[in-house]
Amino acid sequence: MTERHWEQVYDENAPRDTAFEELALHEKLTETWSQPKGFLGWLMSVDHKSIGRRYIVTAFCHLLMAGMLAMVIRVQLAYPDLQVLDPDLYNQFFTMHGTVMMFLFAVPMVEGVMIYLVPLMIGTRIIAFPRLNAFSYWVYLAGGIMVWVAFFINSGPDAGWFSYVPLAGPEFGAGKRSDIYAQMITFTEVAALAVAVEIIVTVMKFRAPGMTLDRMPILVWASLITAFMIVFSMPAVVVSSTFLILDRLIGTHFYNPAEGGDVLLWQHLYWYFAHPEVYIIFLPSLGLASQVVETFSRRPMFGYRAIVLALIGQGFLSFGLWVHHMFATGLPRLGNSFFAASSMAIAIPSGIVIFCWMATIGTGRVRLGVPMLWIISFFVLFILGGLSGVMLASVPIDLQITDTYVLPSHIHYVLMGGAVCPLIAAAWFWFSKLTGRSLQTSLGVLQWALFLVGAFVSFGAMFLLGISGMTRRVYTYPHNMQWDTLNLVASLGAWAIGLSFLVLLLNIALSLRSRASAPNNPFDAPTLEWSTSSPPAIYNFARIPFVQSRDPLWDERGELPVVSGLRVDTREILVTSAVTADPEMREHAPDPTLWPLIAAIVTSVILVASIYTPQALVWGAPPLAIALVAWLYPKHILAPRPEAVPEEETI
Amino acid sequence: MRKWPAAGLLGTIALGCGCSRNPSVLLDPAGPHAQATGWLFWLFIAVATVVWVIVVGLLLVLMLRSRARGGVVAPPAHPVVSTEGRLRLIVGGSVFATFLILTGLIVASFTVDRDLIALDRQPSLDVELTGHQWWWELRYPGATPGETFTTANELHVPVGETIRLRLRSVDVIHSVWLPNIAGKRDVLPGVDRELVFRVDKAGTWHGRCAEFCGLQHAFMGLTLIADDPQAFKAWQEAQRAPAREPQTDEERFGRDVFVSGPCGLCHVIRGTDAAGHSSSAPDLTHLKSRTTIGAGAAPNTKGYLGGWIVDPHAIKPGVHMPTNLQSPREFQALLSYLETLQ
Amino acid sequence: MSAPRIIRDVSRLPTYSSGPSNPMWWGTLAFVTIEGLGFVFGIAVYLYLQTHNRSWPLGPQPDLLWPSILTAVFLLSEIPNWWLKKRSSHHDLFWVRIGLAGMSLIGLAVIALRGFELTTLNIRWDSNAYGSIVWFLIGIHTTHVLTDVFETIVMAVLMFVGPVDMRRFAEVNDNQDYWDFVVLSWLAIYITIHWLPRWLEVAP
């Protein structure tokens, strides 16, 4: 391991963590790193744990609200010819359900989990670009508020969560509903791209010394790959949604076949993004589940490298599948065949991960805690979803079952099994780390059983409805189709899922009433975040750990080895090299500030106003420029001055 | 042990499909396209069932077998080298088995796909299907204008012949789906598509739009009636003829109400002076020859027809047809006239 | 409370660096990738629309004069840009100040030229899909030009007014790397809009 030493270290005399004993060190670091108090302090915070928690709580609220929409949808569909929702309201309900779940719950939730856990897992104190992180949260919050407010004033998006043109276009999409949809995409994609950049830089540059790429926890690998996928896929949907707004607002013709445009252009651009999007949701979920499986099997994960390669494989392959959403549009057959083969092929890396888990479980000493129950649910539900996905990959079969209830069955099995189950397992696993409190097992088993039975039954009924000929996105159905029983069963299952979330809420509420007294590492897990207190101190680690294996807490049963020498009087972190994690630099972490919030407010106003007039961009640019300059303009001398600048001349 | 889940699955599917008015291609294929797809579908379902049972079963066995007894949390163990080597073989073998199964499935899929393409050669009858929000316009082109006619929502075809549907939309994206006959095909604005199929037994099947197209996507049904060739010819001849002349005074007055009122602005009845276009609204020349109105929204009886004319939104809220309030006398006459349009 | 096991002392590590050891370098690269992909998709859409139309372009071609002058200015600006990056790598504050001032002026000239170019496109964004995609491509590029010129001006002010420490030079390098991206992306768009139709000669 090589290091660089510099003769001109301008802060030689500043206090370092080497000089302090444990208790004094804790006090000094707490004082240096604490964020301002009160509501204003909360607005100014740039702490990744605080922002991560906000993402998680906000995303969870979106989950509950979009889930309630689903409960009402299932009331409307429980019997034929009901009039609980008229067609217009129904279209807004199902569009909001899908849109909110995909854009405001699923991706932000995995982002929030990554923001919180990744820095702790790699042994650093911040996420890269902390102020950008705060900005991204405020922008996400604003986008979510915009779309729900629109819904409550009867202007919610109503063209489905993937908003096909021309239905969503200027001629057939009345009012501002589809503009709201398109701009919500802008909000969430700006936030997601910012977080992706932060994750990449954090993982590449802030890992604890000795944590080579080969020693990173699987969740960190999954986060890194996901971040790259976000970077490479989201520009497509930004472009497509921008085209939609331009068509609707200023009369462009991207999607207008009468003037040289093409309706399928929307689908190509959108699905090019949206297929990787579901893997953006799935890969971190696999990472979370991997951490649970490893800890509860009491042995290092079997096939670490195979799993990492499988995750990378899924990341790449997911970009080559998108046309399977378009098999019915009549594209050339040869192209369809390629995408059919690639869509089946992606089952192989998923299988690799699952088989490695089974090998780990089979040769471990399994502790059957609540998180492991959710791993069982993953297997039951996700594999059903994956197998229906294999069916959908076959072109002839797809032409029968696409756009029927087989689709909601497939997507909910894979999303519930492949994302929600790992997220709930993660919630159970890391709950004490985040809050310092524990959840009750009895309520947890009840929640688990309600969810598993409800999901299995509901989406199974939907699969049967689909092969009985029921198309999706219908506000009701006549009695003489004899779809009654299956629809009622689907509704009962869905309501059971809703009930399971109420049980979870009850469990969380009960636990938060008690004092924060959880131990550091209640499950004896191997990764670095478990060496911090529950919840972690504001500065995460008193001294940056030195890592020598993949499972540091299992291999160092006593005190963790550390590096020392970081300053304690300012916020300082260690920057290491990308592959081998050699210490390279000390970097100053930004102080709490209100400018990200102000910039986010200006950005949000511009985005909402530009739904109504393109002038918003012109008038909004100067205030945004001012906010960004105020945010980014340097305030302190944090490195040596160049020789040309004598002391007196600088501020 | 594995028979029970398989039997249960088949039973559930049969229950689910057979109970419905539209058993899927799995249980009631009516043509070669559906037949080939149905076979492939059963193969995939069988493989999927077996795989799921094996994997979930194995997981449960592994979890229960290696669980730490007595509530003790075992200390973390380091893997034993010999076990790891054997595990590598097992996992590698499982991955290879997955690869083989998927290869088999994709080969089967490609085979059926190729067969379906081969079926699409040399159609003997062309029908132009135009998708509207929320009805289907069907035009049967003939050798001469006199042999060409347009109808709506009910597709008659001769049994045993290969039919080519030429697909176009005038507004948003729709999708034509006749489950027992063939896979679906999107109906796009600005792009021509086609769906080729053949029906091998006489009967009535129900299809519907399969791409979300707005408020009444749920009620955009397409009725397919496959006739013996003679019956089809007879139907074709009847459709080619212009509308029956009204016999009574009331019927004649009803025709006047149609032509001079708002109806005639959109709807066509061949043989009258109605200025409508068969692309604005369904062609009503042989309205009563169809089994439903409103693209399957209601049966084609006098009562429902009357209710539809007065307020279509009570049956199908959001349709582009406005409400029509006339005096009782005009209304009765109009209805009498329309009832004659066989 | 045993004594901490200190493996290494990092107190003498520098607090500034440039290139891949600087996290900001990675951030700039990531943002360039994201925005570059926006251009890639824009050009892909241009080609997609071209293959979906029997004749292309759908109207008169934009004039070649102003965009060609602009291209020449962009290419020539790479010389002072390269020189500025060298001076910055040598932490030469005096010449960095001059260089940033110069690049700011060049940027303003580019904006003026872009303004002239927009008046000679010969088609509106709402005429047809061809007009829409041409305006879109030039529009997103213009956004990048405006933001980078603004940032260059702010950096110039910063280097004159302060606070200046060694970290600033890496920031100057990142900013001038971004200018390279602005030039490269323009070349791609210039060739796509003005030369591909002429080379491929799709007959009306």
PDB file of all heavy atoms in Angstrom, chain A residues 298 328-329 361 366 380 394 399-400 402-403 467 469 480-482, chain B residues 16 19 21-22 24 52 66 68 74 77 109 184 186 193 208 210:
ATOM      1  N   ARG A 298     -25.068 -17.307   9.001  1.00  0.00           N
ATOM      2  CA  ARG A 298     -23.893 -17.413   9.860  1.00  0.00           C
ATOM      3  C   ARG A 298     -22.661 -17.898   9.114  1.00  0.00           C
ATOM      4  O   ARG A 298     -21.813 -18.596   9.660  1.00  0.00           O
ATOM      5  CB  ARG A 298     -24.156 -18.360  11.062  1.00  0.00           C
ATOM      6  CG  ARG A 298     -25.498 -18.158  11.741  1.00  0.00           C
ATOM      7  CD  ARG A 298     -25.690 -16.733  12.236  1.00  0.00           C
ATOM      8  NE  ARG A 298     -24.702 -16.397  13.240  1.00  0.00           N
ATOM      9  CZ  ARG A 298     -24.166 -15.194  13.393  1.00  0.00           C
ATOM     10  NH1 ARG A 298     -24.499 -14.194  12.603  1.00  0.00           N
ATOM     11  NH2 ARG A 298     -23.274 -14.985  14.342  1.00  0.00           N
ATOM     12  N   ALA A 328     -46.360  -6.557 -29.537  1.00  0.00           N
ATOM     13  CA  ALA A 328     -47.632  -6.465 -30.245  1.00  0.00           C
ATOM     14  C   ALA A 328     -47.699  -5.297 -31.217  1.00  0.00           C
ATOM     15  O   ALA A 328     -48.687  -5.167 -31.935  1.00  0.00           O
ATOM     16  CB  ALA A 328     -48.783  -6.362 -29.245  1.00  0.00           C
ATOM     17  N   THR A 329     -46.651  -4.472 -31.265  1.00  0.00           N
ATOM     18  CA  THR A 329     -46.748  -3.285 -32.125  1.00  0.00           C
ATOM     19  C   THR A 329     -46.391  -3.572 -33.565  1.00  0.00           C
ATOM     20  O   THR A 329     -46.424  -2.679 -34.410  1.00  0.00           O
ATOM     21  CB  THR A 329     -45.827  -2.152 -31.628  1.00  0.00           C
ATOM     22  OG1 THR A 329     -44.470  -2.607 -31.666  1.00  0.00           O
ATOM     23  CG2 THR A 329     -46.198  -1.724 -30.234  1.00  0.00           C
ATOM     24  N   ILE A 361     -27.341 -20.804   2.458  1.00  0.00           N
ATOM     25  CA  ILE A 361     -28.313 -21.238   3.463  1.00  0.00           C
ATOM     26  C   ILE A 361     -28.100 -22.712   3.795  1.00  0.00           C
ATOM     27  O   ILE A 361     -28.106 -23.118   4.962  1.00  0.00           O
ATOM     28  CB  ILE A 361     -29.745 -20.999   2.939  1.00  0.00           C
ATOM     29  CG1 ILE A 361     -30.046 -19.501   2.909  1.00  0.00           C
ATOM     30  CG2 ILE A 361     -30.775 -21.729   3.789  1.00  0.00           C
ATOM     31  CD1 ILE A 361     -31.327 -19.145   2.182  1.00  0.00           C
ATOM     32  N   VAL A 366     -28.690 -21.754  10.021  1.00  0.00           N
ATOM     33  CA  VAL A 366     -29.671 -20.680   9.782  1.00  0.00           C
ATOM     34  C   VAL A 366     -30.392 -20.258  11.050  1.00  0.00           C
ATOM     35  O   VAL A 366     -30.897 -21.083  11.805  1.00  0.00           O
ATOM     36  CB  VAL A 366     -30.699 -21.130   8.726  1.00  0.00           C
ATOM     37  CG1 VAL A 366     -31.827 -20.125   8.620  1.00  0.00           C
ATOM     38  CG2 VAL A 366     -30.011 -21.304   7.388  1.00  0.00           C
ATOM     39  N   VAL A 380     -40.986 -17.462  -2.882  1.00  0.00           N
ATOM     40  CA  VAL A 380     -42.326 -17.870  -3.318  1.00  0.00           C
ATOM     41  C   VAL A 380     -42.859 -16.927  -4.389  1.00  0.00           C
ATOM     42  O   VAL A 380     -43.320 -17.357  -5.440  1.00  0.00           O
ATOM     43  CB  VAL A 380     -43.285 -17.908  -2.111  1.00  0.00           C
ATOM     44  CG1 VAL A 380     -44.718 -18.094  -2.571  1.00  0.00           C
ATOM     45  CG2 VAL A 380     -42.889 -19.017  -1.150  1.00  0.00           C
ATOM     46  N   SER A 394     -41.619 -15.111 -24.558  1.00  0.00           N
ATOM     47  CA  SER A 394     -41.910 -15.838 -25.798  1.00  0.00           C
ATOM     48  C   SER A 394     -42.906 -15.023 -26.611  1.00  0.00           C
ATOM     49  O   SER A 394     -43.991 -14.703 -26.135  1.00  0.00           O
ATOM     50  CB  SER A 394     -42.523 -17.195 -25.459  1.00  0.00           C
ATOM     51  OG  SER A 394     -43.294 -17.672 -26.529  1.00  0.00           O
ATOM     52  N   LEU A 399     -48.086 -12.402 -27.237  1.00  0.00           N
ATOM     53  CA  LEU A 399     -49.164 -11.796 -28.016  1.00  0.00           C
ATOM     54  C   LEU A 399     -50.543 -12.197 -27.487  1.00  0.00           C
ATOM     55  O   LEU A 399     -51.529 -11.520 -27.750  1.00  0.00           O
ATOM     56  CB  LEU A 399     -49.027 -12.175 -29.495  1.00  0.00           C
ATOM     57  CG  LEU A 399     -47.823 -11.556 -30.202  1.00  0.00           C
ATOM     58  CD1 LEU A 399     -47.759 -12.012 -31.653  1.00  0.00           C
ATOM     59  CD2 LEU A 399     -47.884 -10.037 -30.146  1.00  0.00           C
ATOM     60  N   GLN A 400     -50.605 -13.288 -26.761  1.00  0.00           N
ATOM     61  CA  GLN A 400     -51.878 -13.642 -26.120  1.00  0.00           C
ATOM     62  C   GLN A 400     -52.035 -12.966 -24.780  1.00  0.00           C
ATOM     63  O   GLN A 400     -53.090 -12.440 -24.445  1.00  0.00           O
ATOM     64  CB  GLN A 400     -51.986 -15.166 -25.943  1.00  0.00           C
ATOM     65  CG  GLN A 400     -52.416 -15.909 -27.185  1.00  0.00           C
ATOM     66  CD  GLN A 400     -53.890 -15.680 -27.522  1.00  0.00           C
ATOM     67  OE1 GLN A 400     -54.657 -15.178 -26.713  1.00  0.00           O
ATOM     68  NE2 GLN A 400     -54.273 -16.059 -28.731  1.00  0.00           N
ATOM     69  N   THR A 402     -50.088 -10.404 -23.201  1.00  0.00           N
ATOM     70  CA  THR A 402     -49.721  -9.030 -22.871  1.00  0.00           C
ATOM     71  C   THR A 402     -50.972  -8.162 -22.797  1.00  0.00           C
ATOM     72  O   THR A 402     -51.973  -8.421 -23.465  1.00  0.00           O
ATOM     73  CB  THR A 402     -48.714  -8.475 -23.890  1.00  0.00           C
ATOM     74  OG1 THR A 402     -48.140  -7.273 -23.355  1.00  0.00           O
ATOM     75  CG2 THR A 402     -49.363  -8.130 -25.217  1.00  0.00           C
ATOM     76  N   ASP A 403     -50.949  -7.137 -22.000  1.00  0.00           N
ATOM     77  CA  ASP A 403     -52.080  -6.216 -21.823  1.00  0.00           C
ATOM     78  C   ASP A 403     -53.329  -6.898 -21.293  1.00  0.00           C
ATOM     79  O   ASP A 403     -54.422  -6.348 -21.352  1.00  0.00           O
ATOM     80  CB  ASP A 403     -52.417  -5.473 -23.127  1.00  0.00           C
ATOM     81  CG  ASP A 403     -51.545  -4.238 -23.280  1.00  0.00           C
ATOM     82  OD1 ASP A 403     -51.409  -3.506 -22.289  1.00  0.00           O
ATOM     83  OD2 ASP A 403     -51.006  -4.019 -24.376  1.00  0.00           O
ATOM     84  N   ILE A 467     -55.605 -15.091 -18.312  1.00  0.00           N
ATOM     85  CA  ILE A 467     -55.752 -16.127 -19.323  1.00  0.00           C
ATOM     86  C   ILE A 467     -57.214 -16.470 -19.556  1.00  0.00           C
ATOM     87  O   ILE A 467     -57.528 -17.236 -20.448  1.00  0.00           O
ATOM     88  CB  ILE A 467     -54.923 -17.385 -19.007  1.00  0.00           C
ATOM     89  CG1 ILE A 467     -55.318 -17.999 -17.681  1.00  0.00           C
ATOM     90  CG2 ILE A 467     -53.445 -17.058 -19.010  1.00  0.00           C
ATOM     91  CD1 ILE A 467     -54.487 -19.231 -17.360  1.00  0.00           C
ATOM     92  N   GLY A 469     -59.121 -14.006 -20.407  1.00  0.00           N
ATOM     93  CA  GLY A 469     -59.477 -12.987 -21.378  1.00  0.00           C
ATOM     94  C   GLY A 469     -59.704 -11.591 -20.830  1.00  0.00           C
ATOM     95  O   GLY A 469     -60.062 -10.689 -21.584  1.00  0.00           O
ATOM     96  N   ASN A 480     -71.763 -11.065 -17.327  1.00  0.00           N
ATOM     97  CA  ASN A 480     -71.818 -12.250 -18.176  1.00  0.00           C
ATOM     98  C   ASN A 480     -70.451 -12.732 -18.644  1.00  0.00           C
ATOM     99  O   ASN A 480     -70.356 -13.728 -19.350  1.00  0.00           O
ATOM    100  CB  ASN A 480     -72.752 -12.020 -19.374  1.00  0.00           C
ATOM    101  CG  ASN A 480     -72.237 -10.888 -20.251  1.00  0.00           C
ATOM    102  OD1 ASN A 480     -71.135 -10.350 -20.034  1.00  0.00           O
ATOM    103  ND2 ASN A 480     -73.037 -10.495 -21.226  1.00  0.00           N
ATOM    104  N   MET A 481     -69.359 -12.059 -18.267  1.00  0.00           N
ATOM    105  CA  MET A 481     -68.029 -12.558 -18.601  1.00  0.00           C
ATOM    106  C   MET A 481     -67.590 -13.620 -17.603  1.00  0.00           C
ATOM    107  O   MET A 481     -66.602 -14.299 -17.815  1.00  0.00           O
ATOM    108  CB  MET A 481     -67.007 -11.423 -18.612  1.00  0.00           C
ATOM    109  CG  MET A 481     -67.245 -10.355 -19.642  1.00  0.00           C
ATOM    110  SD  MET A 481     -67.454 -11.009 -21.303  1.00  0.00           S
ATOM    111  CE  MET A 481     -65.787 -11.509 -21.654  1.00  0.00           C
ATOM    112  N   GLN A 482     -68.315 -13.738 -16.482  1.00  0.00           N
ATOM    113  CA  GLN A 482     -67.999 -14.737 -15.456  1.00  0.00           C
ATOM    114  C   GLN A 482     -66.598 -14.580 -14.905  1.00  0.00           C
ATOM    115  O   GLN A 482     -65.922 -15.565 -14.582  1.00  0.00           O
ATOM    116  CB  GLN A 482     -68.230 -16.149 -16.008  1.00  0.00           C
ATOM    117  CG  GLN A 482     -69.705 -16.400 -16.199  1.00  0.00           C
ATOM    118  CD  GLN A 482     -69.965 -17.618 -17.080  1.00  0.00           C
ATOM    119  OE1 GLN A 482     -69.179 -17.951 -17.944  1.00  0.00           O
ATOM    120  NE2 GLN A 482     -71.077 -18.281 -16.816  1.00  0.00           N
TER     121      GLN A 482
ATOM    122  N   GLY B  16     -60.739 -21.407 -13.642  1.00  0.00           N
ATOM    123  CA  GLY B  16     -60.680 -19.998 -13.976  1.00  0.00           C
ATOM    124  C   GLY B  16     -61.145 -19.714 -15.391  1.00  0.00           C
ATOM    125  O   GLY B  16     -61.916 -18.802 -15.633  1.00  0.00           O
ATOM    126  N   CYS B  19     -64.848 -21.496 -16.490  1.00  0.00           N
ATOM    127  CA  CYS B  19     -66.000 -20.825 -15.914  1.00  0.00           C
ATOM    128  C   CYS B  19     -66.322 -19.539 -16.646  1.00  0.00           C
ATOM    129  O   CYS B  19     -67.417 -19.034 -16.546  1.00  0.00           O
ATOM    130  CB  CYS B  19     -65.727 -20.480 -14.448  1.00  0.00           C
ATOM    131  SG  CYS B  19     -66.196 -21.815 -13.364  1.00  0.00           S
ATOM    132  N   ARG B  21     -66.849 -16.848 -19.727  1.00  0.00           N
ATOM    133  CA  ARG B  21     -67.497 -16.878 -21.028  1.00  0.00           C
ATOM    134  C   ARG B  21     -66.441 -16.913 -22.126  1.00  0.00           C
ATOM    135  O   ARG B  21     -66.741 -17.138 -23.279  1.00  0.00           O
ATOM    136  CB  ARG B  21     -68.355 -15.617 -21.158  1.00  0.00           C
ATOM    137  CG  ARG B  21     -69.304 -15.633 -22.297  1.00  0.00           C
ATOM    138  CD  ARG B  21     -70.368 -14.588 -21.984  1.00  0.00           C
ATOM    139  NE  ARG B  21     -70.971 -14.085 -23.206  1.00  0.00           N
ATOM    140  CZ  ARG B  21     -70.703 -12.911 -23.753  1.00  0.00           C
ATOM    141  NH1 ARG B  21     -69.844 -12.105 -23.179  1.00  0.00           N
ATOM    142  NH2 ARG B  21     -71.275 -12.535 -24.859  1.00  0.00           N
ATOM    143  N   ASN B  22     -65.241 -16.640 -21.757  1.00  0.00           N
ATOM    144  CA  ASN B  22     -64.191 -16.603 -22.752  1.00  0.00           C
ATOM    145  C   ASN B  22     -63.047 -17.487 -22.335  1.00  0.00           C
ATOM    146  O   ASN B  22     -61.988 -16.998 -21.973  1.00  0.00           O
ATOM    147  CB  ASN B  22     -63.662 -15.175 -22.901  1.00  0.00           C
ATOM    148  CG  ASN B  22     -64.536 -14.392 -23.808  1.00  0.00           C
ATOM    149  OD1 ASN B  22     -64.381 -14.420 -24.997  1.00  0.00           O
ATOM    150  ND2 ASN B  22     -65.492 -13.725 -23.208  1.00  0.00           N
ATOM    151  N   SER B  24     -59.779 -19.328 -22.442  1.00  0.00           N
ATOM    152  CA  SER B  24     -58.664 -18.804 -23.212  1.00  0.00           C
ATOM    153  C   SER B  24     -58.257 -19.808 -24.281  1.00  0.00           C
ATOM    154  O   SER B  24     -58.778 -20.898 -24.397  1.00  0.00           O
ATOM    155  CB  SER B  24     -57.491 -18.554 -22.289  1.00  0.00           C
ATOM    156  OG  SER B  24     -56.825 -19.768 -22.035  1.00  0.00           O
ATOM    157  N   TRP B  52     -40.861 -24.014 -10.118  1.00  0.00           N
ATOM    158  CA  TRP B  52     -41.230 -23.310  -8.889  1.00  0.00           C
ATOM    159  C   TRP B  52     -41.313 -24.259  -7.723  1.00  0.00           C
ATOM    160  O   TRP B  52     -40.791 -23.998  -6.633  1.00  0.00           O
ATOM    161  CB  TRP B  52     -42.574 -22.589  -9.100  1.00  0.00           C
ATOM    162  CG  TRP B  52     -42.998 -21.761  -7.937  1.00  0.00           C
ATOM    163  CD1 TRP B  52     -42.609 -20.485  -7.645  1.00  0.00           C
ATOM    164  CD2 TRP B  52     -43.888 -22.154  -6.887  1.00  0.00           C
ATOM    165  NE1 TRP B  52     -43.198 -20.057  -6.485  1.00  0.00           N
ATOM    166  CE2 TRP B  52     -43.990 -21.057  -6.000  1.00  0.00           C
ATOM    167  CE3 TRP B  52     -44.617 -23.304  -6.612  1.00  0.00           C
ATOM    168  CZ2 TRP B  52     -44.794 -21.079  -4.867  1.00  0.00           C
ATOM    169  CZ3 TRP B  52     -45.417 -23.338  -5.476  1.00  0.00           C
ATOM    170  CH2 TRP B  52     -45.500 -22.236  -4.609  1.00  0.00           C
ATOM    171  N   SER B  66     -30.863 -26.799   7.960  1.00  0.00           N
ATOM    172  CA  SER B  66     -29.655 -26.181   8.521  1.00  0.00           C
ATOM    173  C   SER B  66     -29.966 -25.141   9.580  1.00  0.00           C
ATOM    174  O   SER B  66     -29.119 -24.334   9.913  1.00  0.00           O
ATOM    175  CB  SER B  66     -28.788 -25.574   7.429  1.00  0.00           C
ATOM    176  OG  SER B  66     -29.553 -25.022   6.420  1.00  0.00           O
ATOM    177  N   ALA B  68     -30.315 -23.469  13.123  1.00  0.00           N
ATOM    178  CA  ALA B  68     -29.646 -23.659  14.400  1.00  0.00           C
ATOM    179  C   ALA B  68     -30.671 -24.123  15.426  1.00  0.00           C
ATOM    180  O   ALA B  68     -31.707 -23.497  15.598  1.00  0.00           O
ATOM    181  CB  ALA B  68     -29.007 -22.347  14.842  1.00  0.00           C
ATOM    182  N   ALA B  74     -25.708 -19.318  16.185  1.00  0.00           N
ATOM    183  CA  ALA B  74     -24.398 -19.919  15.985  1.00  0.00           C
ATOM    184  C   ALA B  74     -23.367 -18.846  15.689  1.00  0.00           C
ATOM    185  O   ALA B  74     -23.684 -17.831  15.073  1.00  0.00           O
ATOM    186  CB  ALA B  74     -24.480 -20.909  14.835  1.00  0.00           C
ATOM    187  N   ALA B  77     -19.266 -19.095  10.869  1.00  0.00           N
ATOM    188  CA  ALA B  77     -18.336 -20.151  10.516  1.00  0.00           C
ATOM    189  C   ALA B  77     -17.579 -19.775   9.269  1.00  0.00           C
ATOM    190  O   ALA B  77     -18.095 -19.061   8.411  1.00  0.00           O
ATOM    191  CB  ALA B  77     -19.110 -21.448  10.295  1.00  0.00           C
ATOM    192  N   SER B 109     -40.281 -21.767 -28.571  1.00  0.00           N
ATOM    193  CA  SER B 109     -40.944 -20.510 -28.903  1.00  0.00           C
ATOM    194  C   SER B 109     -40.633 -20.092 -30.338  1.00  0.00           C
ATOM    195  O   SER B 109     -41.521 -19.688 -31.089  1.00  0.00           O
ATOM    196  CB  SER B 109     -40.498 -19.434 -27.920  1.00  0.00           C
ATOM    197  OG  SER B 109     -41.085 -18.208 -28.243  1.00  0.00           O
ATOM    198  N   LYS B 184     -52.636 -10.768 -30.165  1.00  0.00           N
ATOM    199  CA  LYS B 184     -53.123  -9.429 -30.443  1.00  0.00           C
ATOM    200  C   LYS B 184     -52.152  -8.659 -31.336  1.00  0.00           C
ATOM    201  O   LYS B 184     -50.983  -9.003 -31.479  1.00  0.00           O
ATOM    202  CB  LYS B 184     -53.397  -8.685 -29.149  1.00  0.00           C
ATOM    203  CG  LYS B 184     -52.237  -8.672 -28.173  1.00  0.00           C
ATOM    204  CD  LYS B 184     -52.625  -8.012 -26.850  1.00  0.00           C
ATOM    205  CE  LYS B 184     -53.615  -8.814 -26.042  1.00  0.00           C
ATOM    206  NZ  LYS B 184     -52.975  -9.938 -25.319  1.00  0.00           N
ATOM    207  N   ASP B 186     -51.352  -4.425 -32.274  1.00  0.00           N
ATOM    208  CA  ASP B 186     -51.704  -3.034 -32.003  1.00  0.00           C
ATOM    209  C   ASP B 186     -52.220  -2.348 -33.256  1.00  0.00           C
ATOM    210  O   ASP B 186     -51.761  -2.625 -34.372  1.00  0.00           O
ATOM    211  CB  ASP B 186     -50.482  -2.274 -31.474  1.00  0.00           C
ATOM    212  CG  ASP B 186     -50.193  -2.589 -30.018  1.00  0.00           C
ATOM    213  OD1 ASP B 186     -50.965  -3.355 -29.406  1.00  0.00           O
ATOM    214  OD2 ASP B 186     -49.196  -2.080 -29.487  1.00  0.00           O
ATOM    215  N   ARG B 193     -50.596  -1.725 -40.055  1.00  0.00           N
ATOM    216  CA  ARG B 193     -50.235  -3.038 -39.523  1.00  0.00           C
ATOM    217  C   ARG B 193     -51.238  -4.046 -40.050  1.00  0.00           C
ATOM    218  O   ARG B 193     -52.293  -3.685 -40.569  1.00  0.00           O
ATOM    219  CB  ARG B 193     -50.274  -3.034 -37.979  1.00  0.00           C
ATOM    220  CG  ARG B 193     -49.189  -2.191 -37.355  1.00  0.00           C
ATOM    221  CD  ARG B 193     -47.847  -2.858 -37.494  1.00  0.00           C
ATOM    222  NE  ARG B 193     -46.792  -2.161 -36.776  1.00  0.00           N
ATOM    223  CZ  ARG B 193     -45.759  -1.543 -37.377  1.00  0.00           C
ATOM    224  NH1 ARG B 193     -45.656  -1.497 -38.667  1.00  0.00           N
ATOM    225  NH2 ARG B 193     -44.825  -0.960 -36.634  1.00  0.00           N
ATOM    226  N   ARG B 208     -61.716  -8.073 -27.864  1.00  0.00           N
ATOM    227  CA  ARG B 208     -61.827  -6.716 -27.314  1.00  0.00           C
ATOM    228  C   ARG B 208     -60.554  -5.938 -27.583  1.00  0.00           C
ATOM    229  O   ARG B 208     -59.543  -6.502 -27.968  1.00  0.00           O
ATOM    230  CB  ARG B 208     -62.115  -6.776 -25.821  1.00  0.00           C
ATOM    231  CG  ARG B 208     -61.092  -7.539 -25.008  1.00  0.00           C
ATOM    232  CD  ARG B 208     -61.689  -7.977 -23.675  1.00  0.00           C
ATOM    233  NE  ARG B 208     -62.781  -8.921 -23.898  1.00  0.00           N
ATOM    234  CZ  ARG B 208     -62.631 -10.236 -23.931  1.00  0.00           C
ATOM    235  NH1 ARG B 208     -61.451 -10.762 -23.729  1.00  0.00           N
ATOM    236  NH2 ARG B 208     -63.667 -11.021 -24.143  1.00  0.00           N
ATOM    237  N   ALA B 210     -57.237  -4.221 -26.610  1.00  0.00           N
ATOM    238  CA  ALA B 210     -56.282  -4.612 -25.581  1.00  0.00           C
ATOM    239  C   ALA B 210     -55.185  -3.577 -25.378  1.00  0.00           C
ATOM    240  O   ALA B 210     -54.107  -3.894 -24.910  1.00  0.00           O
ATOM    241  CB  ALA B 210     -55.656  -5.960 -25.923  1.00  0.00           C
TER     242      ALA B 210
END
